[in-house]
Amino acid sequence: MVLAIVAAASGAHANEYGSATAAELTERAKSAVEAGQGGELLAIMKEMQRRRMFFFEGDEVLCRREPPKVGVLAKPGFNYGTARTAYQTFNKAQRVEDQDCTCPQAARSFQEFSVQFLGVTPERMTEAHMAKLREYNQDRKNTVADAYRTFRNTSCREEY
């Protein structure tokens, strides 16, 4: 009986929560906890999970992933910044495509990006690989950044 009531409450609010902003969801979750409304909180948390909104601070570690400073990435110059920009751009493009609000770097580590995009680990990257990353940045950086910004502002961004 209790499960049926919780399921009905969850289903009744699902559409309402689907159109709520991240900030609205967070405030509604706080209100549901304070009011002891378990069914409503469950519905809110399901929507937050669907959007892959982070619940715990530990999840943010993935958002701070950076390329390692090894091989050509450790040399003085712009290689590190070029690689970092390509990594972020590649992950942002995937987030837009997947309509996923999770931070871009949570999609994959730089090592995974390097192997997937270049076919080599960061330690084995060469100047030829750097040229490929520079070309990728020139071709896509601004369009992906614009698309990602629009997506984040319309689907994910908390409003203040």
Side-chain angles (χ1 to χ4, degrees):
M1 176 83 169
V2 172
L3 291 176
I5 293 171
V6 169
S10 296
H13 294 292
N15 291 336
E16 176 184 346
Y17 298 132
S19 61
T21 66
E24 290 169 342
L25 282 177
T26 301
E27 288 306 312
R28 289 180 181 181
K30 289 176 187 175
S31 296
V33 168
E34 290 169 359
Q37 299 169 328
E40 186 168 347
L41 180 60
L42 179 62
I44 294 166
M45 291 184 75
K46 283 182 178 182
E47 177 60 23
M48 292 172 109
Q49 181 180 30
R50 186 189 71 75
R51 294 186 195 185
R52 295 186 176 143
M53 292 172 63
F54 291 130
F55 294 111
F56 305 106
E57 186 177 321
D59 293 333
E60 294 174 9
V61 170
L62 296 176
C63 298
R64 293 190 297 266
R65 292 197 229 188
E66 296 284 334
K69 293 184 178 179
V70 297
V72 296
L73 300 178
K75 290 182 179 181
F78 299 106
N79 285 350
Y80 182 82
T82 297
R84 183 175 184 266
T85 299
Y87 170 56
Q88 291 174 346
T89 300
F90 190 82
N91 288 335
K92 285 177 182 179
Q94 181 181 351
R95 291 301 189 217
V96 171
E97 182 179 322
D98 295 345
Q99 295 293 288
D100 187 336
C101 292
T102 309
C103 67
Q105 283 75 359
R108 69 186 52 76
S109 67
F110 184 82
Q111 169 108 4
E112 292 167 324
F113 161 73
S114 178
V115 170
Q116 182 180 355
F117 189 75
L118 300 170
V120 297
T121 61
E123 297 82 12
R124 295 184 176 255
M125 288 173 61
T126 65
E127 289 300 330
H129 295 115
M130 293 308 305
K132 184 175 180 180
L133 293 178
R134 278 191 277 288
E135 183 179 324
Y136 178 79
N137 288 342
Q138 289 172 349
D139 291 346
R140 293 173 184 85
K141 180 182 157 196
N142 292 332
T143 57
V144 169
D146 291 344
Y148 182 73
R149 186 178 349 1
T150 299
F151 163 67
R152 289 283 299 171
N153 286 337
T154 58
S155 301
C156 311
R157 182 78 53 202
E158 290 185 4
E159 295 177 6
Y160 296 101

